[in-house]
Amino acid sequence: ESDVLLAQTMSSYVERGVIFGGHEHHIIDETTMDNIRILKMGCDAEMASLVDFTFCLSSRKLVNVEASFVDLTVMEDSVVVKKIVEKHMAGIRKMEEEVIVDESVYKGDILSSEGTRYKQTSVGAFFCQAIKEELETDVALLNGGSIKGGMTYSQNKMSYSQLKAELPFPTKMVVVPMTRADVVKAVEYSRKNRNERGEKKKKEEEEEEEEGPVKMARRGYLQINSDFDLVNFVNDANSKDIVQVALPRNLMGGFCNITPLINLGTQLQTFNIYPSEDDFVPALDLVTRYCCKSRWVNIIQHHFSFDDVDLNGDGVLDRSEIKIMMERFLGYEPGEFVVDDMINSIDLDGDGVIDMSEFSHVLAKLERDDFSQIPKK
């Protein structure tokens, strides 16, 4: 539907045109009444579209489009490209083995992202809790469509690659003020919304519901942090209290048609406090940072003191010292990217080393009640 609308807009400027690509799971080759051809190659890079354009030299207008689809799966691999891919895949395979979520990071019910478009999941709650703590907000929200793994982790362990599979999109998290009442309205609306994909989809859902009970998948089904109490979060006395909320920026722009969040975006624009284009942090980065900080806490509280890790006694933890610490803790040599993430998670001044003030600052924020248990020399 969006491509057809785009074609109608294009026809106001050109007599003929082509729309390529897009997030589709099947091949599309259609020509609209406006003489705009829509070509979609499907998913997983298994097909390519070979297109010839013919232009009029005098008018420079497009006069003809010839297109055919090519099946890439039957073609032989390029030896040169294969070597390059193998080099990069070695790093990816290493990443698949590295565990970022384990018992030191997550303590709760079995981790599962199955059904994030239908219900609150433990993975959704964990991600939102991580984002909430990293951004120091009162609440964190993620729409179910942004979590894509659809897996259950029976041992409550998740690798880097699995984490990236769960959060594959550049979900741009921003922090905005909301009343307690509006938070609850947004969550409840998202979980009942029949109109997240427009009137046509709404009508189809209503027709299906008439035929019998059915679960409706909703991209906008809002997941919320694990310590959130929807029942007791708001009452008559505090309904207008302002809280800080972390949420995906595009939800305020109309994605998933969550009306309370669209209204919020309008209000923020009216008061000129709408988050700027570059004022965001990707959800994946926030969850990764939280996991690394939690691992820091576990390592130091139960295994090493700061002085144990500071092998040369210069008052800072450099890359080599942190790598040795990680190897002792994990029992194997960590990937370079793991060491980088551990450093970046608490390196407040960006100088590539961790001093005692940075170390203590993060621990104080994450483990205020248990800070005194950290071994010291």
Side-chain angles (χ1 to χ4, degrees):
E1 292 179 3
S2 298
D3 293 316
V4 173
L5 290 174
L6 176 59
Q8 292 174 353
T9 302
M10 287 176 61
S11 64
S12 301
Y13 301 93
V14 296
E15 296 177 1
R16 189 185 304 271
V18 181
I19 296 174
F20 284 109
H23 184 64
E24 304 292 345
H25 290 255
H26 56 280
I27 295 172
I28 296 175
D29 184 0
E30 298 178 2
T31 302
T32 69
M33 295 178 62
D34 303 301
N35 218 14
I36 304 296
R37 194 164 180 178
I38 302 174
L39 296 172
K40 303 294 183 74
M41 278 62 76
C43 60
D44 298 329
E46 294 180 348
M47 301 292 290
S49 181
L50 185 62
V51 185
D52 286 324
F53 296 96
T54 303
F55 293 88
C56 174
L57 287 177
S58 58
S59 66
R60 297 188 178 182
K61 291 182 177 181
L62 180 64
V63 296
N64 189 49
V65 177
E66 293 184 5
S68 60
F69 290 98
V70 180
D71 186 354
L72 302 179
T73 61
V74 299
M75 294 186 174
E76 293 184 6
D77 293 334
S78 163
V79 176
V80 175
V81 174
K82 190 172 183 178
K83 286 183 178 179
I84 296 173
V85 171
E86 276 300 315
K87 181 179 179 180
H88 289 285
M89 286 302 295
I92 292 176
R93 282 191 286 272
K94 178 68 175 176
M95 182 181 294
E96 290 175 348
E97 298 170 0
E98 294 286 355
V99 174
I100 187 170
V101 179
D102 56 20
E103 64 277 1
S104 69
V105 175
Y106 174 78
K107 300 176 179 66
D109 297 333
I110 296 297
L111 276 173
S112 176
S113 60
E114 295 187 40
T116 54
R117 297 186 179 206
Y118 300 99
K119 62 182 181 181
Q120 174 74 58
T121 63
S122 54
V123 164
F126 169 62
F127 286 170
C128 288
Q129 188 69 29
I131 291 168
K132 173 199 165 187
E133 295 196 20
E134 278 303 301
L135 293 178
E136 298 183 352
T137 59
D138 301 295
V139 181
L141 306 172
L142 270 176
N143 59 298
S146 65
I147 301 173
K148 300 290 288 184
M151 290 183 61
T152 294
Y153 305 89
S154 58
Q155 295 183 336
N156 281 351
K157 291 184 178 181
M158 189 183 298
S159 69
Y160 271 79
S161 61
Q162 289 170 326
L163 175 59
K164 290 187 175 183
E166 292 285 2
L167 294 170
F169 307 120
T171 305
K172 300 178 179 180
M173 302 301 296
V174 298
V175 178
V176 296
M178 294 180 68
T179 66
R180 288 175 176 267
D182 284 343
V183 171
V184 173
K185 285 179 184 177
V187 172
E188 292 179 342
Y189 185 94
S190 74
R191 297 177 176 186
K192 300 175 182 178
N193 183 17
R194 290 181 175 178
N195 197 29
E196 74 165 33
R197 295 199 185 191
E199 290 297 328
K200 182 178 179 180
K201 188 69 177 178
K202 175 182 176 182
K203 185 176 180 181
E204 291 175 359
E205 289 189 358
E206 288 175 343
E207 290 173 352
E208 290 178 12
E209 285 184 343
E210 288 178 1
E211 296 175 2
V214 61
K215 290 195 300 183
M216 296 298 174
R218 292 178 172 85
R219 294 178 301 170
Y221 192 107
L222 288 177
Q223 304 289 307
I224 200 161
N225 44 285
S226 56
D227 62 0
F228 183 85
D229 184 349
L230 186 62
V231 175
N232 297 316
F233 183 72
V234 62
N235 55 50
D236 292 339
N238 68 9
S239 64
K240 294 184 179 180
D241 286 355
I242 299 296
V243 293
Q244 296 300 307
V245 181
L247 49 73
R249 177 192 178 91
N250 59 359
L251 296 183
M252 295 187 296
F255 184 64
C256 298
N257 281 332
I258 303 175
T259 300
L261 296 183
I262 296 174
N263 293 340
L264 170 66
T266 301
Q267 292 171 5
L268 296 180
Q269 288 175 334
T270 301
F271 292 102
N272 200 29
I273 54 174
Y274 196 91
S276 62
E277 288 292 333
D278 58 353
D279 185 19
F280 70 88
V281 184
L284 177 62
D285 291 2
L286 291 167
V287 177
T288 300
R289 202 161 68 194
Y290 171 84
C291 292
C292 289
K293 285 181 181 178
S294 297
R295 180 166 283 176
W296 269 110
V297 171
N298 184 266
I299 288 173
I300 301 301
Q301 280 188 330
H302 305 293
H303 299 274
F304 306 102
S305 71
F306 184 92
D307 291 342
D308 289 334
V309 184
D310 184 16
L311 300 179
N312 60 9
D314 63 355
V316 297
L317 309 182
D318 60 30
R319 198 175 193 285
S320 62
E321 291 170 331
I322 292 172
K323 187 173 183 178
I324 291 171
M325 175 195 71
M326 290 293 295
E327 187 169 357
R328 290 177 180 173
F329 175 70
L330 296 172
Y332 59 87
E333 182 178 349
E336 297 299 319
F337 64 91
V338 177
V339 180
D340 290 338
D341 282 345
M342 287 291 287
I343 294 172
N344 294 336
S345 68
I346 64 173
D347 184 14
L348 301 178
D349 58 11
D351 62 358
V353 296
I354 306 303
D355 59 36
M356 190 59 189
S357 64
E358 291 171 326
F359 188 76
S360 299
H361 175 80
V362 174
L363 290 179
K365 183 173 67 174
L366 288 179
E367 296 286 300
R368 290 182 179 91
D369 295 336
D370 299 324
F371 187 74
S372 60
Q373 298 177 17
I374 300 172
K376 299 178 182 178
K377 288 191 174 180

